[in-house]
Amino acid sequence: MKEKTILKLKLNTDPRWVNIAGKNIEDILVDHAWCEQKAASTGISMIIHYPEKTRLVDELTDLVAEEWSHFERVLLELRKRGFQLGRPRRDDYVVQLLAHVRKGGARERQLMDQLLVSALIEARSCERFKLLWQHIADEELSKFYYELMVSEAAHFVSYVDLAKEYCDPVVVEERLQELLKIEGEIVTNLPVRDDRIH
Amino acid sequence: MKEKTILKLKLNTDPRWVNIAGKNIEDILVDHAWCEQKAASTGISMIIHYPEKTRLVDELTDLVAEEWSHFERVLLELRKRGFQLGRPRRDDYVVQLLAHVRKGGARERQLMDQLLVSALIEARSCERFKLLWQHIADEELSKFYYELMVSEAAHFVSYVDLAKEYCDPVVVEERLQELLKIEGEIVTNLPVRDDRIH
């Protein structure tokens, strides 16, 4: 329950997920690699769009390096097991969440939504990594997911803090609550799959 | 002359460039930061497009980490001097080179062109970093450019080797010669600017 409190997620992952995902490590690792790539690319994209925001640029520069080092490590886990990096797949979870980034209007509102959606993706990844850490049989991989869980929790906090740096913290908190509700609904409505992190 | 031999560039940079660029360190660092970002993003993009090519994925994964660590370091040099990361600019040199990547036809031909164009961008960056290393007054920055020159030379070699791994080495060598000629012409026709690496 602790991570639910820290991360504020409205809904725990369906317990069936980790049982089926844990049996399909190849697809989970491939999907995970692409999640790290998307996280790195999203950070780069925000730096390109907001180069004048010093704190955002500095923190996301570190975050991109960290996400890319995770990509490297997931790739290593694939290689150790003789697996290929499969093709990237459409990530319905992320696509549906991104649809709630409000475009147009004040530039700060869009930035707030982008930062909060990124925060929620990190939070959900963290929750799933916790399940992998606790339940998968492969001890080495279990330790790996423990480390990544800790790292993603820190990224959740960074993204929310950045939103509060550039936008009214009261508005950020309200919007975070709205998006947490939306995120819970998206997760409820998506099928439980053995080949996806989300 | 040595780097001309290693890198095979057909044309040395106009000697006026380093004199004017060395006096406009702020713009040069900003442009340089975005060059590193583009190099990292190009590597990521190739990994997304060719995930089945093990050697390409593994080598470009390392290369992306290195390019991003350069972005971090350029950002640090900007911050030390109290400069902002300015907005990204259109890079006419890169745009003109990329126009020579032949699309359609065999997938391997496009891959070869992409790898060779990336190799040439690394080679030209290496040549310019050498000039910065040798000529700029700021000692710390001069050392920084020495390191980066070495790194970019290695990237040039990696890109050409990857092209030879996936395509007929004789064809690669012929195409490299063609592209070197084209690159020289592009450089000749671009204005000498104090706010661009290329």
Side-chain angles (χ1 to χ4, degrees):
Chain A
M1 280 294 119
K2 196 168 156 245
E3 88 283 2
K4 205 176 160 189
T5 317
I6 298 168
L7 302 171
K8 305 179 183 183
L9 294 173
K10 297 287 183 202
L11 180 97
N12 285 335
T13 285
D14 187 317
R16 287 172 302 165
W17 175 75
V18 77
N19 293 324
I20 59 169
K23 294 194 184 81
N24 188 12
I25 288 302
E26 180 171 2
D27 279 337
I28 284 295
L29 285 172
V30 169
D31 192 58
H32 180 183
W34 294 120
C35 289
E36 299 293 353
Q37 173 269 312
K38 273 175 279 183
S41 293
T42 300
I44 293 174
S45 168
M46 275 197 258
I47 292 168
I48 294 171
H49 284 95
Y50 304 99
E52 77 287 1
K53 300 201 184 308
T54 303
R55 185 175 156 193
L56 178 146
V57 168
D58 291 351
E59 291 192 14
L60 293 190
T61 295
D62 288 349
L63 184 140
V64 168
E66 212 170 297
E67 305 286 16
W68 196 254
S69 79
H70 295 170
F71 179 88
E72 278 187 294
R73 292 185 59 192
V74 180
L75 188 64
L76 195 67
E77 297 300 329
L78 280 166
R79 297 297 185 228
K80 273 195 230 166
R81 290 165 178 79
F83 299 145
Q84 290 280 322
L85 175 64
R87 303 198 76 74
R89 305 112 189 240
R90 179 185 155 91
D91 189 331
D92 290 318
Y93 168 76
V94 170
V95 169
Q96 289 183 31
L97 258 183
L98 283 174
H100 294 276
V101 172
R102 294 165 299 180
K103 298 200 174 111
R107 195 161 175 255
E108 261 61 34
R109 194 179 72 171
Q110 184 171 339
L111 171 61
M112 175 177 71
D113 281 4
Q114 286 173 322
L115 291 168
L116 293 180
V117 162
S118 292
L120 290 183
I121 298 170
E122 300 283 352
R124 180 59 67 188
S125 303
C126 174
E127 192 243 11
R128 300 264 162 128
F129 292 165
K130 182 176 180 188
L131 291 172
L132 290 169
W133 159 50
Q134 291 175 327
H135 294 281
I136 55 176
D138 183 321
E139 262 187 54
E140 196 188 38
L141 218 50
S142 164
K143 265 171 71 179
F144 175 63
Y145 278 113
Y146 176 80
E147 265 187 70
L148 265 60
M149 170 191 78
V150 173
S151 169
E152 305 299 19
H155 293 170
F156 165 77
V157 174
S158 296
Y159 272 122
V160 175
D161 283 355
L162 279 175
K164 288 181 179 169
E165 166 91 15
Y166 294 110
C167 312
D168 179 345
V170 177
V171 178
V172 169
E173 201 47 58
E174 281 170 14
R175 183 64 178 154
L176 179 59
Q177 292 308 316
E178 284 171 17
L179 287 170
L180 279 163
K181 199 164 158 278
I182 289 167
E183 198 269 351
E185 286 160 9
I186 290 171
V187 169
T188 308
N189 293 321
L190 281 172
V192 177
R193 296 183 62 149
D194 68 346
D195 59 353
R196 292 287 193 283
I197 292 291
H198 308 116
Chain B
M1 280 294 120
K2 196 167 156 246
E3 88 284 0
K4 205 177 161 187
T5 316
I6 298 170
L7 302 171
K8 307 176 181 183
L9 294 173
K10 297 286 183 204
L11 181 96
N12 285 335
T13 286
D14 187 317
R16 287 172 303 164
W17 174 76
V18 75
N19 293 325
I20 58 170
K23 294 195 183 81
N24 189 11
I25 287 302
E26 179 171 4
D27 279 336
I28 284 295
L29 284 172
V30 169
D31 191 58
H32 180 184
W34 294 120
C35 289
E36 299 292 354
Q37 174 270 312
K38 271 174 280 182
S41 293
T42 299
I44 293 174
S45 169
M46 275 197 258
I47 291 168
I48 294 172
H49 284 94
Y50 304 99
E52 76 287 0
K53 299 201 186 305
T54 303
R55 184 175 158 193
L56 177 145
V57 168
D58 291 351
E59 290 192 16
L60 293 190
T61 295
D62 288 350
L63 184 140
V64 168
E66 211 169 298
E67 304 287 16
W68 196 254
S69 80
H70 295 170
F71 179 89
E72 279 187 293
R73 293 184 59 191
V74 180
L75 188 63
L76 194 68
E77 297 300 329
L78 279 165
R79 297 297 185 229
K80 273 195 230 165
R81 291 165 177 78
F83 299 146
Q84 289 281 321
L85 176 63
R87 304 199 75 76
R89 307 113 190 240
R90 181 185 155 89
D91 189 330
D92 289 319
Y93 168 77
V94 171
V95 169
Q96 289 182 33
L97 258 182
L98 283 174
H100 294 276
V101 173
R102 295 165 299 180
K103 299 205 172 106
R107 195 160 175 257
E108 262 61 35
R109 193 179 72 172
Q110 185 171 338
L111 171 61
M112 175 178 71
D113 281 4
Q114 285 173 322
L115 291 168
L116 292 180
V117 162
S118 292
L120 290 183
I121 298 170
E122 299 283 351
R124 182 58 67 188
S125 302
C126 174
E127 190 242 12
R128 299 264 162 129
F129 291 165
K130 182 175 179 188
L131 291 172
L132 289 171
W133 158 51
Q134 291 175 326
H135 294 281
I136 54 175
D138 183 322
E139 263 187 53
E140 196 188 39
L141 218 51
S142 164
K143 264 171 73 178
F144 174 63
Y145 278 113
Y146 176 81
E147 267 186 69
L148 263 62
M149 170 192 78
V150 173
S151 169
E152 305 298 21
H155 293 170
F156 165 77
V157 174
S158 296
Y159 272 121
V160 175
D161 283 355
L162 279 175
K164 289 181 178 169
E165 166 90 16
Y166 294 110
C167 311
D168 179 345
V170 177
V171 178
V172 169
E173 201 47 57
E174 280 170 16
R175 182 63 178 154
L176 179 59
Q177 293 308 316
E178 283 171 20
L179 286 170
L180 279 162
K181 198 164 157 279
I182 290 167
E183 197 268 352
E185 286 161 9
I186 291 173
V187 168
T188 308
N189 293 321
L190 281 173
V192 178
R193 297 183 60 149
D194 68 347
D195 58 352
R196 292 286 193 282
I197 291 291
H198 308 115

